[in-house]
Amino acid sequence: MPGGIPWCFVVLFAVCLECLAQNFGQTRFICTSVPVDMDMCTSVQSSGSAEDLKTNVLQLRETVLQQKETIMNQKETIRELTTKLGRCESQSLLESGPNEAKPGAGRKQTGSGKNTMGDLSRTPAAETLSQLGQTLQSLKTRLENLEQYSRLNSSSQTNSLKDMLQNKIDDLEKQVLSRVNSLEEGKLNPKNETEERVKIESTLTSLHQRISDLEKGQKDNRPGDKFQLTFPLRTNYMYAKVKKSLPEMYAFTICMWLKSNASPGVGTPFSYAVPGQANELVLIEWGNNPMEILINDKVAKLPFVINDGKWHHICITWTTRDGVWEAYQDGTQGGNGENLAPYHPIKPQGVLVLGQEQDTLGGGFDATQAFVGELAHFNIWDRKLTSGEIYNLATCSTKALSGNVIAWAETNIDIYGGATKWTFEACRQIN
């Protein structure tokens, strides 16, 4: 058999293993050839002592271990090269045009880096400027409300502070306009653009805090539930936390008012995580996907369309029996389904966060999934509300109920990272 293994070697190898297994169990051996007319087992046993065979086996084992170590080193080298290749591909994706398709786009990218700069990594700079402009407009609206308040409650200190804030807003508008002109002329490079954005966002956060200090004077004149939360920028540090956790629930109704024009996707109005399950109960609209409700990582797509910059009232009901759910927008049912986490009760002792999606219990926020806009009257019941009860909530009726599990009240909410509280507008507009 030129160029191959002689058949006699194959036969001898098999016979040797059979003969020597009697004395050495699972040990591996090296066999030698014997004449055709000789007893094979006798020849093997007489050709060398057990000690010689053991020495040969140990030498072979050492060789195998060395080869294994070499293979592991090669695998590590391959992993390093793969990582470097991935970085190169990521860089090329970042440098590609905004209209080029990007692979791997989904609801969540496990292990993706957190964007601490305040907006979507794939969002063009012009869209970022648009978001900043909207934030400035929101600040102006709040200052106008403060002007009305100060006219009724004359205070030279309040007027002085208001004028100072107005001047700062005017300066910021000039900076935004300058950046728009620079973009149009192609003068901004990524490094300078990032530095400018950080400066402006820092100033905006400071302004929000100063305006909030002014608005504190109005809180004594409003009920504890007549407030809204504002998340003006897409960050991984602005959020609110509900002080209470949820009990074990076999049914629920969750209702809230939302106002947003963020794109793509309004983000995560709320997320509830428990030990061992970060997606126990989540409402999210991420990227170009429709809004979804997640229960124990099971997903149902919701028919909500709310990113038009107007206030909308939404409610989701669910029962563990058959996983039946219903979705209401502005008092009208727009969708329903079943088999959403059937027979799975909502677990207790978790963390309820407004404005961010949790990847870990109480944290792991990702800027790309943050809610951008305003949120109010977030209430939770441990039962399915009737359509009439939901309509009363959506029309700000005096018959509207407060949540028996979580009720909307300033004393129940802590805010972090520059998110702000101020007077709720939607019901005022309806009434």
Side-chain angles (χ1 to χ4, degrees), residues 7 53 60-61 114 189 198 213 257 277 295 308 406:
W7 66 270
L53 290 174
L60 277 177
R61 184 180 181 187
K114 304 300 181 185
N189 62 49
V198 170
D213 291 340
W257 284 91
Q277 177 54 279
I295 299 176
D308 56 3
I406 299 294

Side-chain angles (χ1 to χ4, degrees), residues 241-254:
K241 184 177 178 181
V242 180
K243 295 179 182 179
K244 295 175 59 179
S245 182
L246 300 181
E248 185 173 65
M249 296 191 300
Y250 296 85
F252 67 69
T253 300
I254 300 176

Side-chain angles (χ1 to χ4, degrees), residues 73-84:
N73 291 337
Q74 290 173 346
K75 284 185 177 180
E76 184 64 29
T77 302
I78 291 171
R79 277 197 293 268
E80 291 177 2
L81 292 174
T82 302
T83 301
K84 291 179 180 179

Side-chain angles (χ1 to χ4, degrees), residues 316-327:
I316 305 105
T317 71
W318 172 86
T319 57
T320 187
R321 182 179 177 84
D322 296 326
V324 176
W325 61 270
E326 295 176 348

Side-chain angles (χ1 to χ4, degrees), residues 65 97 128 134 158 180 223 236 258-259 285 290 293-294 307 318 329 335 429:
L65 290 175
T128 302
Q134 293 163 9
T158 299
V180 170
N236 63 356
L258 294 176
K259 178 182 178 182
E285 183 182 272
I293 183 77
L294 283 74
N307 64 335
W318 172 86
Q329 180 171 326
Q429 296 171 0

Side-chain angles (χ1 to χ4, degrees), residues 59-125:
Q59 289 175 350
L60 277 177
R61 184 180 181 187
E62 182 66 25
T63 302
V64 169
L65 290 175
Q66 290 175 356
Q67 291 177 345
K68 182 178 179 182
E69 183 177 355
T70 301
I71 292 172
M72 293 302 294
N73 291 337
Q74 290 173 346
K75 284 185 177 180
E76 184 64 29
T77 302
I78 291 171
R79 277 197 293 268
E80 291 177 2
L81 292 174
T82 302
T83 301
K84 291 179 180 179
L85 179 60
R87 289 174 183 170
C88 292
E89 290 176 345
S90 300
Q91 183 63 29
S92 64
L93 286 176
L94 290 173
E95 293 172 355
S96 62
N99 295 324
E100 295 182 26
K102 295 195 170 45
R107 190 187 67 80
K108 290 180 77 169
Q109 294 178 339
T110 304
S112 61
K114 304 300 181 185
N115 180 355
T116 61
M117 294 312 300
D119 37 74
L120 288 167
S121 58
R122 61 180 179 272
T123 303

